[in-house]
Amino acid sequence: MIIQYLDASAIGGIETHVETLALAQLAAGEQVTVILHADYPHSKVRERYENAGLNVQVAGSLVGLIHLLRKNVPDILHTHGYKAGINGRLAARLLSIPLISTFHAGERGKGRMALYQKLDEWTSFVGGRLAVSRIIADYMPFKTKVMRNFVPLAPHPRKVPEKASFVFAGRLSHEKGPDIFCELASRNPMLGHFAVHGDGPMRQELETSFAGSATFYGFSNDMKRVLASASALVMTSRNEGLPMIALEAMALGVPVIAPAVGGLPELVSNGRNGFLFEAENLQSLESALRAFSSLTPQQMDKMGNLARETISGQFSPEIVLPDLFEAYQLAGWKSSRSIRTKVQSSMG
């Protein structure tokens, strides 16, 4: 049995990654359980996972995690995020369970968060280590394998919308750059509708300053529906790893306009399947947006199809999951079946 362990108070990139990963491993014939560190009030994570068909348990504490692992000893424990990483390593070491950790965060924390990140990174020698981008791997004090995020390809590409609509999706906090997106909207109202999906500490300030330029929708439980009606996903992050929202958009055939940070240059080919711009450079972002807006519907459709080809060829479960299972084996996981054969057969 494989256990995916994370601390999740809201549905974001890590939560989406774990859902996608667990479902792909189930499809490959593995027994998978997701353990949440806590079941937070008003959080929709457990409900979403269970609705997707995942077996979900709640640890509640380090002691609770140890109890769950003793009750059903997994073949490997896979942690995501600093809290799960630190607690998971203590429990795995105590119970002699093979362990691997994925590092997702492209931004470096400050104050207490920076201390937690350092503790997470420096205790990672206990098990295997994965990072979703080369930049994150280079931060690590120990050798870390780059393992791309992945998403399943949508069955059909979405149709290019008749009216231009640009979507920001993410936490409304400094590192995600929602202020840059809103400034872009205020300077380019003639190019289309600008929609902000997400919540966070900057929301009230942004709504007050940019209420006439962008529409604020708050958190959405169905981002695939939102993305399907967008002309493009516009990312304005100051730092990134390899964001799941970008993968999800491209899997639908939605071009991504993104800063050249983290793993995004590996995903977005400028002018081909989307556009790249210089991070925190509004003029560079405006040039990318205007270049996209000058395309004909046929050219936008072609760009969307090329985005889907990128996902299919480099960021799909069929491509990434065999390498992930091999990383599991290096961390101590034992499988009696051929990894590549079972993944490829399960995916069709």
Side-chain angles (χ1 to χ4, degrees):
M1 179 174 66
I2 299 168
I3 286 182
Q4 303 291 340
Y5 174 47
L6 72 160
D7 183 44
S9 59
I11 298 171
I14 293 179
E15 291 75 21
T16 302
H17 169 84
V18 169
E19 178 185 19
T20 303
L21 174 57
L23 290 174
Q25 290 176 338
L26 282 174
E30 297 299 329
Q31 184 181 356
V32 183
T33 292
V34 176
I35 293 182
L36 300 176
H37 183 71
D39 192 6
Y40 294 97
H42 312 301
S43 171
K44 300 291 184 181
V45 177
R46 182 174 186 175
E47 178 183 351
R48 172 164 162 169
Y49 284 0
E50 289 178 340
N51 287 342
L54 296 174
N55 177 34
V56 181
Q57 299 180 2
V58 179
S61 64
L62 173 59
V63 173
L65 174 65
I66 293 171
H67 173 76
L68 289 176
L69 295 178
R70 277 180 171 157
K71 186 177 180 181
N72 294 291
V73 180
D75 299 303
I76 192 164
L77 175 65
H78 189 165
T79 72
H80 306 265
Y82 71 86
K83 186 177 289 186
I86 295 166
N87 285 330
R89 289 178 204 113
L90 289 169
R93 194 66 176 262
L94 177 65
L95 301 175
S96 299
I97 295 171
L99 175 132
I100 197 164
S101 299
T102 294
F103 292 81
H104 297 263
E107 67 275 4
R108 308 304 294 170
K110 297 179 180 179
R112 183 180 297 178
M113 182 63 68
L115 293 176
Y116 287 146
Q117 279 186 322
K118 287 293 184 183
L119 181 60
D120 186 26
E121 292 164 0
W122 281 95
T123 59
S124 66
F125 71 90
V126 171
R129 295 167 300 280
L130 305 173
V132 300
S133 74
R134 171 51 54 194
I135 289 178
I136 295 175
D138 288 344
Y139 278 133
M140 296 292 294
F142 309 106
K143 185 176 180 180
T144 301
K145 181 178 179 60
V146 177
M147 187 67 60
R148 291 172 167 173
N149 285 338
F150 62 89
V151 293
L153 196 67
H156 307 286
R158 62 76 198 248
K159 293 182 179 180
V160 176
E162 294 182 4
K163 295 183 178 180
S165 175
F166 304 104
V167 167
F168 171 96
R171 179 171 166 77
L172 303 188
S173 54
H174 179 76
E175 70 276 5
K176 296 298 182 182
D179 53 314
I180 300 173
F181 179 84
C182 291
E183 187 65 32
L184 177 73
S186 71
R187 291 170 54 145
N188 297 276
M190 75 297 295
L191 294 183
H193 177 247
F194 292 80
V196 178
H197 289 267
D199 209 340
M202 295 178 69
R203 180 174 179 179
Q204 184 174 353
E205 173 191 349
L206 292 173
E207 282 201 77
T208 300
S209 301
F210 297 100
S213 303
T215 305
F216 292 79
Y217 292 94
F219 177 79
S220 174
N221 282 315
D222 189 2
M223 280 308 302
K224 288 183 179 180
R225 177 188 58 79
V226 172
L227 291 170
S229 63
S231 302
L233 172 69
V234 180
M235 303 194 66
T236 48
S237 305
R238 292 176 166 91
N239 299 283
E240 271 296 353
L242 183 59
M244 288 295 292
I245 191 67
L247 297 175
E248 289 181 306
M250 292 175 66
L252 288 165
V254 179
V256 174
I257 301 172
V261 295
L264 284 165
E266 301 171 28
L267 177 67
V268 180
S269 177
N270 190 47
R272 184 175 180 273
N273 61 9
F275 285 93
L276 291 171
F277 63 92
E278 183 182 345
E280 298 188 71
N281 186 326
L282 186 56
Q283 184 176 358
S284 177
L285 171 55
E286 283 185 305
S287 295
L289 181 65
R290 289 171 182 171
F292 175 80
S293 298
S294 70
L295 299 177
T296 66
Q298 293 74 24
Q299 289 172 322
M300 290 181 184
D301 187 57
K302 180 180 179 180
M303 182 170 280
N305 287 330
L306 289 172
R308 283 170 56 82
E309 288 181 13
T310 299
I311 297 300
S312 177
Q314 301 178 54
F315 299 91
S316 67
E318 296 92 330
I319 299 298
V320 181
L321 202 55
D323 291 334
L324 178 64
F325 279 149
E326 289 179 4
Y328 277 14
Q329 287 185 326
L330 290 173
W333 180 63
K334 294 179 174 59
S335 175
S336 60
R337 295 178 292 163
S338 167
I339 290 172
R340 291 188 182 274
T341 298
K342 70 182 179 182
V343 171
Q344 291 167 357
S345 63
S346 69
M347 298 299 174

